[in-house]
Amino acid sequence: MKPEEKTLSGGKPVYDSGQLFRGTTEIAIHHDGAFYRLKITRQGKLILNK
């Protein structure tokens, strides 16, 4: 997965949600030994749960 050419202030890469979700509404993120769920709601908002 490559970051878009766009960056936020400080040079942080920007990822399009379509790149992350690839047609699904929920993905898992493994961080520091724990799993998190990132979901797109029916209203199109993002929710992160541990």
Side-chain angles (χ1 to χ4, degrees), residues 27-48:
I27 60 172
I29 299 171
H30 185 245
H31 172 71
D32 199 25
F35 284 97
Y36 295 82
R37 295 179 346 173
L38 183 61
K39 300 191 313 186
I40 301 174
T41 67
R42 284 184 231 148
Q43 294 80 27
K45 299 184 188 260
L46 295 175
I47 296 180
L48 181 65

Side-chain angles (χ1 to χ4, degrees), residues 17-28 38-40 46:
S17 62
Q19 290 177 298
L20 298 174
F21 286 92
R22 298 185 202 162
T24 67
T25 58
E26 186 174 327
I27 60 172
L38 183 61
K39 300 191 313 186
I40 301 174
L46 295 175

